[in-house]
Amino acid sequence: MDGMRVLLVEDERRLAALVKSGLADEGFAVDVAHDGTEGLWMAEENAYDAIVLDVMLPRLNGYAVCRRLRDAGNWTPIMVLTAKDGEYDEAEALDTGADDFLSKPFSYVVLLARLRALVRRGGRERPVSLRVGDLVVDPAGMRCRRAGTDIALTPKEFAVLHGLARRAGEVVSKAELLEQAWDFAYDGDPSIVEVYISALRRKVDAPFGRSSIVTVRGAGYRLDGSR
C-alpha cells in the first residue's frame, strides 16, 4: 500500500495520532482533520485513496460530511467510525453513501485490513441517472424528478420505480419487482406490488398528466416514457 493517501477525520486527538502513526508505519500517507468542516474542505481540495471518517465530529457530523461529498460527485471510498453500535447507525452510514463502517472500540488490525480492502476496491462511480421521457431516476441519490420537479418517494416506492426504469419499455413481472424491491426470501402477498404501483401513479404520473406506468394484464407492468 506504499503511496496510498488517506484522510483521517477524527476529533479524538490521541486516537487520531495513534491511527495515523500505525498507518504511516504500513506505508500510508495520512492527513488528519479534527472536525467535520475541516475534513470536508480537505476531502474536496485533495485527492485521497480513502477517507476514514468519525461520526461524532464538531461543527459537522460524519453523516453530513459523507452526504455532501456524495452529492458533489466525490466517490472516494469512505469508512465511517462510530461510537454507537447498532443496526440503525450502520444503516445510516451506508445510506449516506459510506462504503464500510467500523464500531468503536475497534481492533487496529481489523481497521487496517478493512482499509486495505477498501483501497483495493477503489472508488465506485456514481450510477448513471435513468431517463424515461421527462422522468429522471437517480439510483445513487435515490431521487426522482419529472419535468424538473422533485418527487418525494419512500425507499420501497423508489425501488419499484427503479426496477421499472432499468427496463423501460419492457414488461416487468410482479415477481421481478418483488425480487428488486424486497428480496428473494419474501413470502408475503405478491399483491403488495399493486399497492406500490398505485402509489407511484399518484405521485409520478397523475400530478403531471401522465400515464407512463402501464399495466400489462397477466404479465406485469411497463414504464412507457411516451405516455
Side-chain angles (χ1 to χ4, degrees):
M1 291 293 170
D2 289 347
M4 294 295 103
R5 191 178 184 191
V6 173
L7 173 62
L8 172 62
V9 190
E10 170 58 69
D11 64 320
E12 295 181 36
R13 292 177 181 266
R14 181 172 177 275
L15 175 60
L18 288 171
V19 172
K20 177 177 181 177
S21 176
L23 292 178
D25 287 344
E26 297 293 331
F28 289 88
V30 184
D31 292 335
V32 178
H34 295 296
D35 65 64
T37 302
E38 181 186 20
L40 178 62
W41 179 82
M42 291 178 70
E44 290 174 333
E45 293 297 316
N46 303 284
Y48 293 100
D49 295 289
I51 299 171
V52 179
L53 178 65
D54 188 27
V55 167
M56 305 301 289
L57 293 168
R59 302 179 72 185
L60 195 65
N61 70 40
Y63 297 135
V65 172
C66 187
R67 191 183 301 279
R68 291 190 188 185
L69 288 173
R70 296 315 191 215
D71 285 347
N74 185 325
W75 290 93
T76 303
I78 294 176
M79 176 186 293
V80 167
L81 303 178
T82 174
K84 305 171 184 178
D85 186 8
E87 60 179 324
Y88 294 108
D89 301 303
E90 295 166 359
E92 185 170 1
L94 297 176
D95 284 345
T96 56
D99 300 275
D100 200 358
F101 57 85
L102 196 58
S103 295
K104 294 179 180 178
F106 54 82
S107 159
Y108 175 73
V109 174
V110 173
L111 169 66
L112 182 59
R114 300 269 281 268
L115 185 58
R116 281 175 166 158
L118 203 57
V119 171
R120 281 197 300 269
R121 292 200 298 269
R124 53 195 171 94
E125 292 184 3
R126 186 181 184 90
V128 176
S129 292
L130 304 172
R131 295 179 179 272
V132 185
D134 62 351
L135 178 67
V136 180
V137 179
D138 174 11
M142 289 189 67
R143 297 188 182 95
C144 171
R145 66 181 183 275
R146 172 156 250 168
T149 301
D150 289 334
I151 303 171
L153 299 177
T154 68
K156 277 288 189 287
E157 288 168 350
F158 185 87
V160 172
L161 181 62
H162 183 214
L164 293 171
R166 287 172 60 196
R167 296 172 54 188
E170 302 178 19
V171 176
V172 185
S173 70
K174 281 185 184 179
E176 290 170 320
L177 289 174
L178 280 171
E179 185 176 345
Q180 164 88 14
W182 284 264
D183 59 52
F184 70 91
Y186 177 77
D187 61 357
D189 188 347
S191 64
I192 188 69
V193 173
E194 298 171 15
V195 175
Y196 283 91
I197 290 292
S198 295
L200 285 171
R201 284 172 171 154
R202 288 195 301 270
K203 293 182 176 183
V204 174
D205 277 350
F208 303 92
R210 305 286 201 278
S211 55
S212 58
I213 302 175
V214 181
T215 298
V216 181
R217 295 192 179 280
Y221 304 94
R222 182 178 67 246
L223 187 62
D224 185 344
S226 66
R227 296 170 63 104

